[in-house]
C-alpha cells in the first residue's frame, strides 16, 4: 500500500514538472540576431544590381582596329569569331568602315546586326604596321592568272599583302581557280575588291599531264554546300568518312540547317584540324535554314533544338501563355528569357510569323 502511494506521489510530481516546463518555454521569446526580411531585401537589391551590370557590360563601343584581346573577350560573340578578328589583324588586315567586319570568317548577318551599333572606327590616322596599310597603286595594263601569279605580282595588280599571301597559301594547300569568281573564296577578298579586278583576271586552261600509263587533269577543289549535301558529297572531303558524314547530317537535322560552316565544330568529335584544312571547301546557304515559329512551336519542337535548354523553353512558353504572341524575336532578350549570346546563336532559326 505504501509503495502504491509513493508511486502516485512520484507521478504527480513528474506531471507538475512537465506542466511547469511547458509554461516556462511558452513564455520564452526566441529572438533571432538577424532580421531575415532585411537580408532577403538586401539580396534582391544585389541581384538586381548584378543583372543591370551584366546587361550594361554585354555590349560596348569599340574600335576593331585597336581593341585588345582582353576587351574583345568581354563581347558576347562566339570565341572563334574573336580569334579570327585577332588573326585577321595580325596578318595585316584593317577595318576602314563597320561593314568591313562582315569579311571576318564566321561572321553572319545576325551577329553583325548586334555588333554594328557599337563599332566605332577612329577617323584619325593610326600608326598601324606597314603591312596593314593598303597598297596605293595604279592599275597596270595586262592580265594575271591567280593560279600562277606570285605574291609580288598580285600586289602589282592591286592586292594588299594580306590578300596576296592568302591566294598563294590557298594554292600551296592544293587549291585551284577554275573561274574568276573563285577568288571570292579567299579570306580577305570581298565582292567590292573582286569587282575591281575581275576584268583583268585571265585563267589559262590547264593541259592534261601524262603520268605513267594514265593521264589526269588537275581538279578544282570540291566545294560542298552543307545544307544540301548528302553523305556521298561529304565523304568526298578529305578527313570526313562515313561516321562523321552521318553525324553531320544528324546534327544538321537537329539544328534545322547550318548558317555557318563553323557550326561543324559543334559536331561530336569533329577535329578542329580537319575543319581548318577544309575551310575553303565548305559553305552554308543560310536561306535554307528551317525556322522555329515562336508563336506556334510547342515544347517538344523547341526543346529538340540543340541550342535551347529545357528551362529556357519552359520560360518562353510560360511568357507566351501569359502575355500572348511575341511581336519580335528581340523580346526574348528584353524580357530576360535568353541572354544576348544565346540569342545571337539562335536568331537565324527564329521567326515570329
Amino acid at each position: 500500500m505504501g509503495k502504491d502511494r509513493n508511486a502516485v506521489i512520484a507521478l504527480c510530481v513528474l506531471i507538475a514538472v512537465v506542466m511547469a516546463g511547458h509554461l516556462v518555454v511558452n513564455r520564452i521569446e526566441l529572438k533571432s540576431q538577424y532580421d531575415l526580411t532585411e537580408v532577403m531585401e538586401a539580396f534582391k537589391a544585389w541581384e538586381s544590381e548584378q543583372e543591370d551590370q551584366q546587361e550594361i557590360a554585354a555590349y560596348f563601343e569599340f574600335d576593331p582596329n585597336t581593341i585588345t584581346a582582353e576587351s574583345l573577350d568581354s563581347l558576347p560573340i562566339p570565341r572563334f569569331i574573336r580569334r579570327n578578328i585577332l588573326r585577321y589583324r595580325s596578318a595585316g588586315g584593317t577595318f576602314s568602315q563597320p561593314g568591313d567586319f562582315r569579311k571576318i570568317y564566321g561572321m553572319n548577318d545576325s551577329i553583325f546586326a548586334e555588333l554594328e551599333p557599337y563599332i566605332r572606327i577612329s577617323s584619325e590616322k593610326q600608326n598601324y604596321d606597314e603591312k596593314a596599310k593598303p597598297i596605293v597603286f595604279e592599275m597596270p595594263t595586262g592580265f594575271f592568272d591567280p593560279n600562277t601569279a606570285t605574291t609580288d605580282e598580285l600586289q602589282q595588280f592591286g592586292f594588299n599583302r594580306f590578300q596576296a599571301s592568302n591566294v598563294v597559301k590557298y594554292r600551296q594547300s592544293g587549291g585551284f581557280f577554275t573561274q574568276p569568281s573563285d577568288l571570292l573564296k579567299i579570306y580577305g577578298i570581298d565582292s567590292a575588291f573582286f569587282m575591281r579586278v575581275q576584268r583583268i583576271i585571265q585563267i589559262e586552261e590547264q593541259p592534261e599531264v601524262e603520268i605513267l600509263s594514265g593521264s589526269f587533269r588537275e581538279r578544282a577543289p570540291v566545294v560542298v554546300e552543307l545544307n544540301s549535301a548528302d553523305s556521298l558529297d561529304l565523304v568526298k572531303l578529305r578527313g570526313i568518312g562515313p561516321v562523321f558524314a552521318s553525324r553531320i547530317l544528324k546534327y544538321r537535322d537537329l539544328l534545322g540547317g547550318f548558317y555557318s560552316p563553323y557550326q561543324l565544330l559543334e559536331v561530336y568529335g569533329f577535329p578542329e584540324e580537319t575543319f581548318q584544312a577544309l575551310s575553303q571547301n565548305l559553305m552554308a546557304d543560310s536561306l535554307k535554314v528551317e525556322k522555329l515559329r515562336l508563336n506556334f512551336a510547342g515544347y517538344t519542337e523547341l526543346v529538340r533544338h540543340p541550342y535551347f535548354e529545357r528551362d529556357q523553353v519552359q520560360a518562353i512558353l510560360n511568357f507566351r501563355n501569359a502575355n500572348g504572341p511575341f511581336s519580335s524575336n528581340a523580346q526574348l532578350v528584353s524580357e530576360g528569357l535568353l541572354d544576348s549570346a544565346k540569342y545571337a546563336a539562335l536568331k537565324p532559326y527564329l521567326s515570329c510569323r
Side-chain angles (χ1 to χ4, degrees):
M1 185 70 178
K3 291 182 179 180
D4 293 339
R5 184 174 57 193
N6 292 338
V8 171
I9 293 173
L11 181 60
C12 291
V13 171
L14 181 60
I15 293 174
V17 170
V18 171
M19 293 181 65
H22 182 69
L23 292 173
V24 170
V25 169
N26 286 340
R27 290 177 177 274
I28 297 176
E29 183 178 352
L30 297 176
K31 251 187 179 178
S32 172
Q33 183 180 357
Y34 303 100
D35 188 342
L36 293 181
T37 303
E38 294 180 0
V39 172
M40 292 302 296
E41 290 178 355
F43 177 76
K44 289 180 180 179
W46 175 85
E47 191 177 44
S48 176
E49 180 181 353
Q50 293 300 311
E51 290 177 354
D52 293 342
Q53 290 177 355
Q54 184 177 5
E55 184 176 352
I56 294 172
Y59 290 101
F60 53 87
E61 294 183 358
F62 68 97
D63 186 338
N65 290 310
T66 59
I67 187 173
T68 63
E70 292 76 12
S71 298
L72 200 57
D73 284 339
S74 300
L75 287 172
I77 59 177
R79 180 168 59 90
F80 67 84
I81 293 183
R82 299 197 297 265
R83 181 181 59 198
N84 286 343
I85 292 171
L86 296 176
R87 286 180 177 175
Y88 174 73
R89 280 186 1 202
S90 64
T94 58
F95 304 93
S96 58
Q97 55 185 355
D100 290 345
F101 229 46
R102 291 179 179 271
K103 60 188 175 184
I104 294 299
Y105 197 63
M107 180 72 66
N108 57 45
D109 292 341
S110 59
I111 297 177
F112 177 74
E114 296 287 336
L115 286 174
E116 186 179 16
Y118 301 94
I119 299 174
R120 299 291 183 269
I121 297 177
S122 175
S123 59
E124 299 178 2
K125 293 184 177 180
Q126 304 292 332
N127 294 322
Y128 300 129
D129 187 270
E130 284 298 317
K131 69 178 181 180
K133 294 182 179 179
I135 297 174
V136 180
F137 66 96
E138 293 183 2
M139 185 68 74
T141 57
F143 301 89
F144 73 91
D145 186 344
N147 289 312
T148 58
T150 65
T151 302
D152 291 338
E153 289 172 342
L154 289 171
Q155 287 183 268
Q156 292 174 8
F157 282 94
F159 290 73
N160 62 35
R161 187 174 179 178
F162 176 63
Q163 294 168 328
S165 175
N166 285 345
V167 171
V168 174
K169 287 178 181 178
Y170 173 70
R171 295 200 317 246
Q172 291 173 344
S173 65
F176 186 78
F177 300 94
T178 59
Q179 54 189 353
S181 60
D182 289 344
L183 269 178
L184 288 170
K185 297 184 293 185
I186 299 301
Y187 190 38
I189 295 181
D190 56 19
S191 57
F193 176 81
F194 173 73
M195 293 298 293
R196 195 170 68 189
V197 299
Q198 181 180 14
R199 63 182 180 82
I200 57 174
I201 300 173
Q202 190 172 75
I203 299 176
E204 296 183 6
E205 184 178 353
Q206 300 297 305
E208 292 186 346
V209 179
E210 297 289 336
I211 292 186
L212 297 178
S213 59
S215 64
F216 72 92
R217 184 186 301 274
E218 186 176 5
R219 294 181 300 169
V222 176
V223 177
V224 172
E225 198 287 303
L226 293 173
N227 289 324
S228 57
D230 57 21
S231 58
L232 294 178
D233 295 321
L234 292 171
V235 297
K236 293 177 184 178
L237 299 171
R238 181 174 300 177
I240 296 182
V243 174
F244 276 131
S246 176
R247 289 180 185 176
I248 290 170
L249 295 179
K250 288 179 180 178
Y251 191 61
R252 182 182 72 186
D253 179 58
L254 287 174
L255 285 172
F258 297 101
Y259 62 79
S260 168
Y262 268 92
Q263 290 175 286
L264 285 185
L265 292 172
E266 300 167 11
V267 174
Y268 178 72
F270 196 82
E272 185 172 357
E273 297 76 13
T274 301
F275 175 78
Q276 294 297 338
L278 294 175
S279 59
Q280 300 289 346
N281 305 90
L282 303 170
M283 64 174 293
D285 185 355
S286 59
L287 295 178
K288 296 180 179 180
V289 169
E290 296 179 6
K291 300 288 187 178
L292 292 169
R293 303 179 70 188
L294 275 179
N295 291 323
F296 299 95
Y299 180 85
T300 303
E301 183 179 359
L302 291 175
V303 82
R304 182 175 179 270
H305 198 283
Y307 291 172
F308 270 125
E309 302 292 340
R310 292 176 184 271
D311 57 340
Q312 293 170 337
V313 171
Q314 193 60 59
I316 290 171
L317 295 179
N318 290 343
F319 180 86
R320 191 176 73 189
N321 292 336
N323 300 279
F326 292 93
S327 58
S328 72
N329 295 337
Q331 275 185 277
L332 294 174
V333 177
S334 63
E335 299 295 339
L337 302 174
L338 296 177
D339 60 42
S340 55
K342 176 72 74 172
Y343 175 69
L346 276 165
K347 188 175 180 181
Y349 298 103
L350 302 177
S351 171
C352 285
R353 295 181 180 180

